[in-house]
Amino acid sequence: MGTVARKPNRSPTSLPLFRVLLFLLVLTGVFLFEVDNLATQTKTIIGYNLEPTPWHEFPAKQFNNETKIARASRIIQCSFFSCGIKSHTNQTPFTRKIEKCPRFFRWIHHDLEPWSETRISHALLMEVKKFASFRVVIINGRLYVDYYYDCVQSRAMFTIWGFLQLLKRFPGRVPDVDMMFDCMDKPLIERNSSNTPLPIFRYCTTPNHYDIPFPDWSFWGWPEINIGPWEEEFQSIKEGSQKQSWKNKYPYAYWRGNPDVVSPIREALLQCNDTEQWGAEIMRQNWTREVMDGFKQSKLSNQCNHRYKIYAEGYAWSVSLKYILACGCVPLIINPKYDDFFSRGLFPKRNYLPISPENICPSIKTAVEWGNENPIKADEIGKSVQDFMERLNIDRIYDYMFHLIVEYAKLLDFKPVRPSTSHEECVDSLYCFADQKQTGFLARSATMPSDAPPCMLPQQANRQIDKMIAQKANIINSTQLLM
């Protein structure tokens, strides 16, 4: 009797289920590949996928404390899913009267004068792109940033935070604008007959450059060296300066900083560290040690115990100027090459004493001897410059940013459009990228809508400014340095 072969018992659904699982596995692999591909191409405010600026090199940032998956997740979340649809476009009514802007606001017209007739085309903006770290575009109260190069430390984060706070400060009043920005120290666009004026914003400029000065990142905080927002730091410094009267302070000049920044001026200043011979105390600041010790020796409010404080430029311009001026001591400024947006409002012999860079030590000694022999006049200089800095409060910072952007936007001969490679930045996206310490600094410098309109911008006065430049140069270049 023959036997009948039996067919294997196979579930009718096993093969389709296998195909579904295989499809899902492939789909997941493709999804993860695309996510990783997107993450590795997305440039961010903290430096992911960005190289340092080639014109001012610094060590590339390392992100070794996070896994590849965690990094990709953070980039995608912060870059694409943090900003909602809400924007600051609803204007809030002003309840206070308008005030006059400080006189140095006149420099806004002077800085933008090169484009007053030709205006700024899109092609001109694209030409200056090669000198920019990032591009800022504001449209209908929303902020878009196109990142080209990384910025040292957290400069980009706190600069962009300043823009976001400006939009929050004056909702619905900041015009659409398209601007290139470099976050490093030295101006790049030289003024000469063969150069086309190229518009780029940065933290400083010189009389020989077209670069447009803009308030620097440290007005909102500098976490890496534990310097808080400007409003906090100024009040703390002023209180520290008032612990002793001017006549009871040490009767010599003081400087504390980092000389190892390729600065011939600071290197020469080290030779002046002799209170008997030169009337100066020069201290080297070791930031590595300060970080390890919790910044115990670098608190700015504890550095106002001398009658005179020295300002010496570093690699280029230095943010230390505003903290030195806030002390109420007599500033001894070694003739600077670079200007930030407010320092052009200072006048030699009225707000500071100029120090010759060719004869630093003897010049410091002469200034100290003059001040000690003329304590009333010297004290007046210290008070005048501290008052100047007190008037430079955060309201005036936002006012300056507002007027500069408004006047610059008037010069654009095209309608700003969001760049296809840009990313929207908002308060939540910055908090998403910020580490714990940065988050605290951001929160401390957050603002609210202003109840006062921006101050009244002075009329153009370029001739008066040119005259003032010549007057200052005559005083600084004079061998008669003191009053």
Side-chain angles (χ1 to χ4, degrees):
M1 185 173 175
T3 59
V4 179
R6 300 180 60 186
K7 293 182 179 181
N9 186 15
R10 177 181 296 176
S11 170
T13 61
S14 60
L15 189 57
L17 180 60
F18 171 76
R19 290 176 177 174
V20 169
L21 291 175
L22 181 61
F23 173 76
L24 291 176
L25 184 62
V26 172
L27 186 63
T28 301
V30 171
F31 173 76
L32 291 176
F33 174 81
E34 291 299 329
V35 167
D36 181 69
N37 187 50
L38 180 62
T40 56
Q41 295 185 39
T42 301
K43 300 172 182 179
T44 73
I45 196 168
I46 60 173
Y48 287 128
N49 307 314
L50 288 170
E51 295 296 322
T53 53
W55 50 85
H56 184 167
E57 295 182 356
F58 58 91
K61 292 175 184 172
Q62 302 296 321
F63 300 95
N64 299 326
N65 59 339
E66 56 189 357
T67 65
K68 188 176 182 180
I69 294 177
R71 183 184 310 170
S73 175
R74 186 184 187 195
I75 291 173
I76 301 300
Q77 172 63 35
C78 300
S79 299
F80 299 100
F81 297 103
S82 291
C83 300
I85 61 173
K86 184 179 179 181
S87 61
H88 300 292
T89 56
N90 296 324
Q91 296 186 6
T92 57
F94 296 132
T95 58
R96 288 195 290 149
K97 294 182 178 180
I98 190 171
E99 299 179 3
K100 288 186 177 180
C101 296
R103 289 173 62 85
F104 71 82
F105 276 52
R106 297 178 300 172
W107 280 90
I108 289 175
H109 303 296
H110 191 275
D111 292 335
L112 298 177
E113 192 273 335
W115 304 279
S116 60
E117 295 184 4
T118 61
R119 303 190 71 191
I120 299 171
S121 66
H122 186 268
L124 194 65
L125 204 65
M126 292 303 99
E127 187 175 349
V128 78
K129 175 182 175 180
K130 59 190 174 187
F131 299 110
S133 304
F134 53 82
R135 178 182 180 186
V136 172
V137 179
I138 297 173
I139 301 175
N140 294 326
R142 303 180 79 92
L143 183 71
Y144 305 97
V145 185
D146 204 4
Y147 297 101
Y148 307 134
Y149 293 101
D150 191 19
C151 299
V152 69
Q153 297 183 337
S154 57
R155 289 188 183 190
M157 175 176 288
F158 282 85
T159 300
I160 298 302
W161 181 255
F163 278 102
L164 290 171
Q165 297 311 298
L166 175 67
L167 294 174
K168 189 176 180 181
R169 188 79 167 180
F170 300 118
R173 301 179 190 274
V174 179
D176 291 0
V177 73
D178 193 338
M179 51 200 293
M180 294 292 180
F181 204 107
D182 180 32
C183 58
M184 303 310 288
D185 292 342
K186 284 190 175 181
L188 297 174
I189 315 301
E190 294 183 359
R191 287 179 181 258
N192 58 54
S193 57
S194 62
N195 274 3
T196 301
L198 297 177
I200 189 169
F201 292 80
R202 69 170 61 255
Y203 308 124
C204 70
T205 191
T206 81
N208 301 318
H209 287 84
Y210 289 114
D211 303 60
I212 305 166
F214 195 86
D216 72 81
W217 77 96
S218 65
F219 281 103
W220 294 273
W222 192 352
E224 287 84 359
I225 60 172
N226 205 43
I227 291 180
W230 171 239
E231 290 284 82
E232 293 180 12
E233 287 295 341
F234 177 81
Q235 291 303 321
S236 176
I237 292 171
K238 184 178 180 181
E239 290 173 7
S241 72
Q242 295 174 338
K243 291 180 180 179
Q244 292 178 308
S245 64
W246 189 85
K247 66 179 182 179
N248 290 328
K249 295 179 185 291
Y250 297 116
Y252 38 83
Y254 179 81
W255 182 83
R256 187 185 187 97
N258 179 13
D260 304 319
V261 289
V262 194
S263 169
I265 292 294
R266 292 189 178 185
E267 291 175 3
L269 182 60
L270 294 176
Q271 307 304 314
C272 307
N273 185 28
D274 190 321
T275 56
E276 294 295 327
Q277 183 177 6
W278 304 118
E281 182 180 355
I282 311 301
M283 306 290 289
R284 181 185 290 268
Q285 180 68 69
N286 186 327
W287 283 114
T288 302
R289 183 179 300 170
E290 279 300 297
V291 172
M292 295 175 62
D293 293 344
F295 303 98
K296 294 178 181 178
Q297 304 299 321
S298 59
K299 190 172 177 61
L300 296 175
S301 60
N302 293 335
Q303 299 181 32
C304 299
N305 301 319
H306 298 71
R307 293 180 182 177
Y308 316 90
K309 288 202 71 173
I310 301 167
Y311 171 71
E313 291 180 332
Y315 175 73
W317 149 90
S318 171
V319 299
S320 64
L321 177 62
K322 58 178 171 287
Y323 308 115
I324 290 171
L325 301 178
C327 252
C329 310
V330 179
L332 307 184
I333 297 182
I334 302 174
N335 297 348
K337 294 181 180 179
Y338 306 92
D339 298 302
D340 61 19
F341 77 101
F342 72 84
S343 63
R344 297 171 297 185
L346 302 173
F347 204 84
K349 296 186 179 180
R350 186 185 305 160
N351 304 119
Y352 69 94
L353 298 182
I355 299 299
S356 169
E358 286 78 27
N359 297 287
I360 296 177
C361 299
S363 188
I364 290 174
K365 180 181 180 180
T366 303
V368 169
E369 289 177 346
W370 175 88
N372 290 339
E373 293 170 1
N374 299 272
I376 295 177
K377 291 182 178 180
D379 191 19
E380 287 175 353
I381 292 175
K383 288 179 179 177
S384 73
V385 74
Q386 189 177 61
D387 290 343
F388 179 95
M389 298 308 295
E390 187 162 27
R391 291 191 294 272
L392 186 67
N393 53 39
I394 199 64
D395 293 341
R396 296 292 86 88
I397 304 301
Y398 288 123
D399 288 351
Y400 193 93
M401 295 167 64
F402 177 83
H403 285 304
L404 180 55
I405 290 174
V406 167
E407 297 303 313
Y408 169 83
K410 293 176 183 178
L411 299 175
L412 300 180
D413 71 356
F414 62 95
K415 182 178 176 61
V417 176
R418 177 182 179 178
S420 60
T421 52
S422 69
H423 294 282
E424 182 174 5
E425 298 290 9
C426 60
V427 170
D428 287 342
S429 68
L430 264 65
Y431 276 135
C432 182
F433 275 122
D435 62 28
Q436 185 175 0
K437 187 171 185 178
Q438 291 167 345
T439 298
F441 275 72
L442 294 175
R444 286 159 57 187
S445 59
T447 191
M448 296 294 291
S450 176
D451 60 355
C455 62
M456 187 180 299
L457 182 66
Q459 294 295 316
Q460 178 178 332
N462 289 346
R463 288 186 179 180
Q464 291 93 319
I465 286 178
D466 290 337
K467 183 179 179 180
M468 184 187 69
I469 292 173
Q471 290 174 341
K472 291 173 68 172
N474 287 336
I475 293 175
I476 291 172
N477 293 331
S478 172
T479 55
Q480 180 79 28
L481 288 179
L482 301 174
M483 302 176 185

